[in-house]
Amino acid sequence: MRKFSENDMLDRKRNSFLFLIYLVGLSIIGFLATDMYLPAFDMMRLDLSTDKSSISASLSLFLAGYALAQLVWGPIADKIGKPKTILIGLTLFTLASLCIFFTNDVLSLLVLRLLQAIGVCAAAVSWQALVVEYYPASQTNKIFATIMPMVALSPALAPLLGVYLLQHFGWRSIFITLAGIAVLLMLYTLTLMRKQKSDAPHDIKTGEKTKQSYFSLLKSKAYVGNVLLYAFCSGSFFAWLTGSPFFLKELGYDESQIGLSFVPQTIAFMLGGYGYRALANRIETKKLMPVLLILYSVSLLAIYAMSVMMTPTLTLLLIPFCGMALANGACYPIVVAQALRVFPNNLGKAAGLQNAIQLGICFIASAIVSVFSKDALLATSIVMVGTIPFMLIAYRLTLKGK
């Protein structure tokens, strides 16, 4: 009978379903912390004796901390390792979540939400790096294609879970639940601490310098090109998320119909991700990417054409938008994996900078739509179409960087 070595056992663990679920948990916990408490805004306002703007500020502060802290945790993850980074970050997140349970004033809530954001960033930075470290290069695209559709699904399901907890246990139970999820992730992270430093990443070139600054990362055309593809795809999506509640209301749709409109686009994104996963071994990435970018561009041009030529129905708008979501679902795993592979010895920094740029572009796109929300459909479609030239520039960078 064959005896498995320690490395064999680690390989079996890495490819296990449980480890994949762990990565999914790390990837979505930040979105759960963002979206689960949204249905509780009014109840929190009453309980904390404050106004709507103060409660809304807790979300804005969280998003700001979530974006900026990416750049802090990246170097830490490279220096002390991803499991230790995750443990430190999720410990901070857990403590902040538990403290929110006991808070009775809005100022404390704002401070604790910022601490939550800073802590959960450790998971956001580390999970992408873990995929590249733990899986062979031939599998990383498929692993990202497995996980990222779950990331897209979480914003749709998180508010539903928040509503259930709010109705049965009160708004404070939402933060206890978040703390519980973090503790489960921390327990599994402890099992990764046994990983030996000698167990190097698979199939990754290690010729780069051990230490890279953020500025040196930006010198790589391959890295910057793939990061910008990821960022502008996301920016277009966030423009829609910001503008759709406004223009769909103007078109005569009620809140329930607006809420249901997010279902087809989520399904389309998941189909894109899992469709790419099924085709990854059959179609070369260099042949697939131009097709995805064409689908992305044609879909956005169709939305823009509708906004200037007619008064579209929700169904007409969702057809091209789902085409864009399908393209994004297939594109994300490709560009994220290709960006991180450029710097195998600085995966934490590479992931942190990538996420910070993505969130920054999303913020800009969302802010522009918000400023011009008086004509929400036209503003949204212009911002979305405006990403196409940047996408083409980014794609050319990826070709030059090869």
Side-chain angles (χ1 to χ4, degrees):
M1 182 180 293
R2 180 188 172 190
K3 292 184 178 180
F4 289 102
S5 67
E6 185 177 353
N7 283 343
D8 287 329
M9 294 301 291
L10 284 168
D11 286 338
R12 287 165 65 87
K13 179 191 291 184
R14 290 170 182 169
N15 295 299
S16 71
F17 180 73
L18 186 59
F19 183 69
L20 194 60
I21 292 297
Y22 167 73
L23 292 175
V24 171
L26 292 179
S27 70
I28 69 173
I29 188 169
F31 294 98
L32 294 179
T34 303
D35 299 327
M36 269 179 65
Y37 86 128
L38 296 180
F41 268 22
D42 195 52
M43 188 66 71
M44 293 173 66
R45 177 184 65 81
L46 294 173
D47 197 23
L48 298 177
S49 302
T50 187
D51 53 29
K52 292 180 181 179
S53 61
S54 296
I55 297 298
S56 297
S58 69
L59 177 60
S60 301
L61 200 60
F62 183 95
L63 294 174
Y66 192 68
L68 295 176
Q70 305 274 349
L71 300 176
V72 177
W73 285 113
I76 294 175
D78 289 332
K79 186 174 183 179
I80 68 174
K82 284 70 182 179
K84 288 182 180 178
T85 302
I86 293 168
L87 283 176
I88 295 170
L90 290 185
T91 297
L92 176 60
F93 175 81
T94 302
L95 292 175
S97 300
L98 293 174
C99 288
I100 289 176
F101 181 84
F102 297 103
T103 191
N104 290 308
D105 64 275
V106 71
L107 181 59
S108 297
L109 173 69
L110 294 176
V111 173
L112 292 169
R113 282 291 286 169
L114 179 59
L115 292 176
Q116 266 193 318
I118 293 172
V120 82
C121 258
V125 166
S126 298
W127 80 265
Q128 295 174 346
L130 284 174
V131 171
V132 178
E133 279 190 350
Y134 278 69
Y135 289 93
S138 59
Q139 294 184 20
T140 53
N141 289 29
K142 294 177 70 175
I143 297 299
F144 279 121
T146 302
I147 296 172
M148 286 185 166
M150 294 294 100
V151 177
L153 186 61
S154 60
L157 297 181
L160 298 179
L161 177 57
V163 168
Y164 176 83
L165 292 171
L166 176 66
Q167 292 177 343
H168 291 81
F169 307 104
W171 69 265
R172 297 176 189 272
S173 66
I174 294 173
F175 296 96
I176 292 295
T177 302
L178 289 170
I181 295 171
V183 168
L184 290 176
L185 293 173
M186 290 165 64
L187 290 174
Y188 190 86
T189 304
L190 290 173
T191 68
L192 301 181
M193 300 296 288
R194 305 175 204 161
K195 176 179 175 292
Q196 295 180 346
K197 293 182 179 180
S198 60
D199 193 18
H202 299 273
D203 302 339
I204 293 177
K205 297 178 182 180
T206 56
E208 56 154 316
K209 297 178 181 178
T210 302
K211 293 183 179 180
Q212 298 273 1
S213 67
Y214 282 123
F215 181 74
S216 63
L217 265 59
L218 293 174
K219 292 181 179 179
S220 167
K221 293 180 180 179
Y223 175 77
V224 171
N226 282 294
V227 167
L228 290 180
L229 284 172
Y230 181 44
F232 282 105
C233 278
S234 302
S236 182
F237 199 83
F238 266 74
W240 175 279
L241 293 180
T242 303
S244 58
F246 295 108
F247 65 70
L248 291 179
K249 194 73 174 177
E250 293 170 0
L251 292 172
Y253 296 96
D254 59 30
E255 284 75 9
S256 62
Q257 291 170 313
I258 293 172
L260 288 173
S261 73
F262 290 97
V263 175
Q265 63 203 42
T266 301
I267 294 173
F269 187 94
M270 296 181 71
L271 286 175
Y274 290 127
Y276 166 71
R277 190 181 190 283
L279 296 174
N281 294 331
R282 303 177 188 177
I283 303 178
E284 294 182 23
T285 298
K286 64 181 181 180
K287 294 180 179 179
L288 183 59
M289 277 301 295
V291 175
L292 294 176
L293 295 181
I294 290 172
L295 175 59
Y296 175 91
S297 301
V298 170
S299 299
L300 299 191
L301 288 169
I303 294 173
Y304 174 74
M306 289 182 196
S307 71
V308 297
M309 297 174 62
M310 60 189 295
T311 301
T313 63
L314 175 57
T315 301
L316 282 176
L317 286 170
L318 282 179
I319 292 172
F321 185 74
C322 286
M324 189 209 79
L326 183 75
N328 279 4
C331 180
Y332 280 11
I334 296 173
V335 297
V336 169
Q338 290 183 162
L340 296 184
R341 283 199 203 110
V342 178
F343 298 103
N345 294 327
N346 292 267
L347 289 171
K349 280 185 180 178
L353 182 58
Q354 172 184 255
N355 294 343
I357 292 173
Q358 180 220 13
L359 290 168
I361 296 297
C362 290
F363 172 79
I364 293 171
S366 179
I368 294 173
V369 172
S370 296
V371 169
F372 297 99
S373 59
K374 188 174 181 180
D375 194 346
L377 179 56
L378 181 60
T380 300
S381 64
I382 289 175
V383 171
M384 294 173 75
V385 167
T387 65
I388 294 176
F390 294 102
M391 293 280 291
L392 297 177
I393 293 171
Y395 181 62
R396 287 180 62 85
L397 285 175
T398 65
L399 296 178
K400 292 179 179 180
K402 291 184 181 299

